[in-house]
């Protein structure tokens, strides 16, 4: 074993956190622990025009230890969905596992969410339906922009799909994971601080459970903070509790929480790589810590210079 490998193994994991997981621009992390490995599904900023989020394929990174990440290439692109325009933009992805299958929730073109399925985390993914799971033109209450899907599977096995900008949406999924089990509802968050009119729902909904409470986190907008509320049931209503991650020096903020082996991590994107910016983002993560009362400690962002070791 080389000295650098030995030192890397000795280094505390917290130090590996808040550096980019890849040298390739990528954003909107969907982190998971599947079949003994960590996986992060991502929006591929490296293949966009640099002027807009107009990439047409998603990207996948894998790690066995959260320190060393391997670029697994594009697990899916929009052409897999025959009903989608081949140049439709591929935005923030989500993946969920159920009964031996991996389900990829793919926001396409800003107005539809498709779902693809595979037998392995890396794919190949194939369209799980012949049309979109969510379609703004077809589905009542799909909202103005059905993007940013997030899936939460509760202890009782009920799966929920969250999505949307400006108004957070939630719908139950059938156990097949590819059809809705009920209406699309609006999620309510009460108790936003009155002294900050910018604190409202923007995008990037994410739902997780910890210590018996349901945590709904999201970005407040463009630019946005990552904030959260808690509730006693997945459908809410949620009570605003505070800020998880402050504004970044880019126009978007997008988070996901990974809880594995008793540890919690906040994955998000930032501007950490040379040449980066609002359309050239990079994925990183940090330990997520809870207080005894269930509140979450605000994650202190590391600057690009510190992350690069400048
Ligand atoms: O990557 C495109 C969009 O930027 C995502 O859908 C939003 O969440 C924001 O991160």
């Amino acid at each position: 074993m080389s000295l650098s490998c030995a030192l890397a193994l000795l280094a505390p994991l917290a130090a590996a956190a808040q550096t980019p997981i890849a040298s390739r621009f990528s954003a909107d992390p969907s982190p998971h622990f599947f079949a003994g490995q960590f996986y992060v599904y991502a929006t591929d900023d490296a293949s966009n025009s640099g002027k807009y989020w107009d990439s047409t394929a998603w990207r996948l990174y894998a790690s066995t230890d959260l320190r060393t990440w391997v670029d697994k290439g594009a697990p899916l692109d929009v052409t897999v969905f025959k009903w989608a325009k081949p140049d439709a933009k591929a935005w923030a992805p989500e993946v969920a596992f159920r009964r031996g299958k991996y389900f990829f929730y793919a926001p396409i073109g800003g107005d539809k969410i498709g779902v693809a399925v595979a037998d392995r985390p890396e794919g190949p993914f194939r369209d799980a339906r012949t049309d979109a799971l969510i379609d703004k033109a077809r589905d009542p209450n799909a909202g103005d922009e059905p993007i940013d899907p997030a899936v939460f599977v509760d202890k009782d096995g009920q799966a929920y799909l969250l999505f949307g900008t400006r108004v957070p949406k939630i719908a139950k999924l059938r156990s097949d994971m590819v059809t809705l089990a009920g209406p699309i509802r609006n999620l309510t968050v009460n108790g936003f601080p009155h002294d900050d009119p910018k604190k409202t729902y923007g995008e990037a909904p994410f739902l997780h459970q910890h210590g018996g409470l349901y945590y709904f986190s999201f970005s407040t907008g463009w630019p946005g903070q990552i904030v959260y509320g808690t509730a006693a049931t997945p459908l809410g209503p949620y009570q605003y509790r505070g800020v998880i991650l402050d504004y970044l020096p880019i126009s978007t903020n997008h988070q996901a929480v990974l809880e594995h082996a008793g540890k919690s991590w906040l994955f998000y994107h930032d501007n950490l790589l040379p040449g980066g910016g609002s359309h050239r983002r990079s994925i990183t993560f940090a330990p997520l810590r809870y207080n005894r009362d269930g509140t979450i400690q605000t994650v202190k962002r590391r600057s690009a210079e510190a992350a690069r070791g400048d």
Side-chain angles (χ1 to χ4, degrees), residues 139-198:
D139 301 330
N141 201 32
D144 285 346
E145 201 179 19
I147 62 166
D148 290 0
V151 169
F152 169 72
V153 183
D154 206 357
K155 292 184 301 285
D156 63 3
Q158 178 63 58
Y160 298 84
L161 174 72
L162 297 95
F163 60 92
T165 56
R166 294 185 175 84
V167 178
K169 305 288 179 179
I170 189 166
K172 288 184 178 175
L173 285 168
R174 289 193 200 284
S175 59
D176 65 8
M177 299 297 273
V178 304
T179 46
L180 298 190
I184 299 170
R185 305 163 197 245
N186 297 348
L187 261 189
T188 303
V189 182
N190 296 317
F192 281 113
H194 295 300
D195 59 353
D196 184 356
K198 283 194 279 186

Side-chain angles (χ1 to χ4, degrees), residues 66-114:
L66 291 175
R67 289 184 177 90
T68 306
W69 292 85
V70 177
D71 183 346
K72 294 281 188 178
L76 183 67
D77 69 75
V78 296
T79 63
V80 166
F81 299 100
K82 298 297 172 225
W83 44 264
K85 291 186 187 145
D87 61 349
K89 58 200 181 195
W91 281 8
E94 167 69 307
V95 174
F97 174 75
R98 186 143 205 184
R99 288 200 290 268
K101 302 269 185 221
Y102 298 86
F103 297 91
F104 195 123
Y105 299 85
I108 293 175
D111 61 349
K112 294 183 183 63
I113 298 174

